[in-house]
Amino acid sequence: MPRWDDAPMVGRASELARLLASVDRAAAGRASTVLLAGDAGVGKTRLLDELTARAAERGVRVLTGHCVDLGDVGLPYLPFVDLLRPVGDEPELAPNSTKNPVLAALLAGRPVAPPPVDLPVTTESRDLSRPLPHRAAPQPADDGRLQLFESVAALICELASSGPLLIVLEDVHWADRSSRDLLRYLLARLSDEPVAVVASYRADDLHRRHPLRPLLAELVRLPGVERLELAPLPDDQVGTLVRRLSASAGSLPQSVVDDVVARAEGNAFYAEELVAAGLHGEALPMALTDVLLARVEQRSQGAQQVLRIAAVAGRRVRHELLAAVGELGGGELDQALAEVVHHHLLVVSDDGRYRFRHALLREAVIADLLPGERVRLHAAIAAYLAGAPGTGTAAERAHHARESNDLPGAFSASLEAADAARRVGAPAEQLQHLEAALALWAAVPDAADRAGRDQVALLVETAAAARMVGELQRAVALLRSALRVLGPDGEPAARARVHYTLAQAMVRVEDVTGAYRESAAAMALVPAQPPSKERTWAAATHARMGYSVGAMEEADRVAEEALAAADALGFDGAWSDIAVTQVRARPGGDPAAVQARLDEALARARRSGNVEVEMRVLYNLATVAFEDGRIAESLEWTRLGTRRASDLGAEWSYYPAELRHLQVTALYMTGDWDESLAEADVLARVPEMSAHVRADGLLVLVGRGDPSAHERIDWARSLIPRLNAHILLDLVTAASEIDLAACEGDAQKAVDVALATNDRLRQEWDDDHLGVLRLAGTALAAVGDAAAAARRDGDEATVDRWVRAGQQLLEVALSAIEVYERNYGATMGVEALAWQARVVAEASRVRGEAAVELWREAVEAFGFGHVYEQARSRWRLAEALLASGDRAAAAREAELAHEVAVRLGAAPLRTAVEALARRGRLDVAGVRTVEVSAVMTPREAEVLRLLAAGRTNRQIGAELYISEKTASVHVSNILAKLGANGRTEAVAIAAQRGLLPTG
């Protein structure tokens, strides 16, 4: 696996720019110094490596010196020995080296040890803020060092006289006293030299009495000296780093990436070690543990005890708890706390509590505890929290009770914590606490009495929380556990509730057949008379599942039964659910009636307080508007639904996730690409079953030609096998892959992805797989390009191959339409109709036909609000118009397409439209046409014309009455001017730039 310092640098562009600006100032003759601060492992060395490489590329000489932690036996001037060693063998420096024996020792790489005296400075030099024409350097006493310091300065000046110089000093927090004194002297002495100095140090090592602190305070007052704090990397950049680190070992699951990002807290070294641990199964790598604990072991026993208590207590700990649990007196505790705070092990939060500077430090301290000590501390903390009401949460009490083996106490506290999470709308935390309680059920003899409900009820409650956060597979597993606990002899109504709830969860993981089986089992357990809540919901669910599997008559009958019972019993939630099912079961109903039915369903769902049904109604209101082409209205519904879900803390339950998916897609269609991408990435952690929402961002990334699209496609592709039939994720990923392949000229990949995805769609959605229309249409565009290129080359065999591939894609699309209409009649939505028009037009292009009218139909079809696809269709229409000789109309369509491409930042489309405009000499605003005379000589223009006609050098010479050798020279010049590697590529580039006649 690559190390982070071997991979391309991530996330330090602004800091690198500041350092390079300092180098540039030095190159311009103004000395410049940057004091680079950052915690251990945050990326200082990696940044400096990049800086030195960039500086060397600019012709700057780089000298690097490293400080080493040698404790109290540090060798004087060690970093300068390291820094000057490379110049020691340079002959031109020999005379200087003999003037001072100490300098000679430095150049020879031998550490020197002058008398250990203080370095007093002159009164004048102490006033470092006063501007001077030429700053006076701090003068060492006449102890033998003045000559050394001046000799080193003179040597550096001589090196800089032949070109700018960059001096890098790493880890100056370990610098010996003599080195610090020499650094102070040089920074004052080299004020007018083309020298840049970058000195790095660990901010977390600088306790209050660290000897580097006063020097830093003094240096930053010097003109030309600045401090640069290297902050932790943002989470998204750590994620990028983690994926790059793991590339050679295969793609990491997103859950592992998220875990590493959360634990590393922006530290590149920690991220690297955690990735290694993730790949090899270690909880915390030994190397990382040793690094972290080294700082703890240097502290006093009292300080270490405070750290142990704080680590067990949690990430944040109150002073009162430390005082109550620890064995230190008031004065001793204050002294220990001061020590750990001053050495940056703990920091004080705004609320007055102490927290670890880095979470992994806490992990390392906990890992170092003996098991008995850990249990004792947890028990003491649990007792303190139990005896001091209001000092801790139920979740904290549950944690410490469990870790101290007080399982009954942990069980009760977990249920209390789950209830608290539910009340504040935090279903993810509710799920966590409920699962903790379930895990303890068998170990607590009076669990049912403590919980106030039986195990089945707790399992169903936990499954509901899992559905709220989008953990659908987990919900299915919990409900199956509930059925096992009930057994075949369990109370029928209870079993029916679990069966139909399981059916509702299973349909969300694309197991429609299994869902139908479960809803049928529920129906069999409860009689139709007298009407009951269980029978009503069983019938409502079974009607949905019946429609899903094509059992239409049965579904109609059961739906009517459920609707009548819901009305009679006043079950507004069930009534709304059935009403939506009926509306969506048979598309193409009267729009006004459909809208009225959905409006009533929304009102009843809100009255019932059933949030899940309310979200289902909102989703279907948005979907109906979307399918009718009323995109703005659809966005109103999606925004209403996502806001409501956010207020409830249920952003990733099924319907809110689908509402966000629809919202991202609608914004993409309307051309609000920035907002679309922001909505796709609005939340950092997305459940895997909602991964299609983040994948939706690919639509914008590919449309803009963003290189990060490749990485997101790889991420999405890695999820698809694990999620079985996640059709929406598969669809959006495949569409993006095909579009990207088309942009990159890989027609075969576009065809392969389209056909493979079509096969999967037909298996999962055999009655409606219209999504393949988009895949076929986009793949046909790539095939059309390939066929056109083959025609230009006169390669008829290749043309035939692509025509056959295009026909296969056309048949796939027509088959999807036939299947849909057989099941639902002529009720396709406006987007499907638009893609149908696009498929037909693209198929004609594959066959080499201009088909102007077909492209006009495609442009009109996408006019319902799909801004980007309408612009892409206009580009193809302009191409067809140009081929048919209507240049004025072609220019109008190309200009409209170009305006959209510029507004959206759609670089690939913009490039294609501009190439068409130049090639066809079209008058398009914002596109500058290049005259061939501005690029080629008249003779080269003639040769280029003949090259485009496929002439050989001999034929060119014969037609132009020049020798074959002269023709070859002209061809070589043309290739060089166009940056082409061969004749065919040269012709293609010339055509794209409008350097060839339109014929």
Side-chain angles (χ1 to χ4, degrees), residues 173 336 339 445 461 479 496 502 821:
H173 55 281
E339 182 179 352
E461 182 183 349
L479 290 167
L502 177 56
E821 291 184 342

Side-chain angles (χ1 to χ4, degrees), residues 521-672:
M523 290 285 289
L525 286 166
V526 283
Q529 296 297 329
S532 64
K533 179 179 180 180
E534 288 77 14
R535 176 69 183 196
T536 302
W537 272 110
T541 305
H542 193 53
R544 281 173 66 184
M545 305 314 148
Y547 287 127
S548 297
V549 299
M552 307 301 283
E553 292 183 5
E554 179 189 15
D556 284 340
R557 175 177 52 78
V558 174
E560 289 302 325
E561 176 198 326
L563 198 66
D567 240 346
L569 297 173
F571 293 156
D572 283 329
W575 190 96
S576 298
D577 194 62
I578 302 159
V580 172
T581 298
Q582 289 179 317
V583 164
R584 299 300 289 161
R586 289 186 170 84
D590 175 62
V594 168
Q595 187 67 43
R597 190 73 159 173
L598 290 175
D599 287 342
E600 183 179 359
L602 180 61
R604 289 196 181 217
R606 286 173 170 168
R607 191 162 64 228
S608 74
N610 190 318
V611 174
E612 184 172 1
V613 173
E614 179 187 352
M615 287 298 164
R616 185 181 182 216
V617 178
L618 287 170
Y619 170 70
N620 280 279
L621 281 163
T623 301
V624 167
F626 185 90
E627 291 172 349
D628 287 346
R630 294 177 278 123
I631 308 302
E633 181 184 336
S634 179
L635 278 169
E636 291 177 6
W637 290 117
T638 63
R639 288 185 170 120
L640 178 64
T642 53
R643 283 197 302 270
R644 173 81 167 124
S646 179
D647 292 342
L648 295 169
E651 294 96 333
W652 297 118
S653 59
Y654 179 79
Y655 285 110
E658 296 311 302
L659 280 162
R660 189 172 297 281
H661 161 70
L662 196 58
Q663 183 166 318
V664 172
T665 305
L667 288 167
Y668 167 76
M669 285 184 171
T670 58
D672 297 314

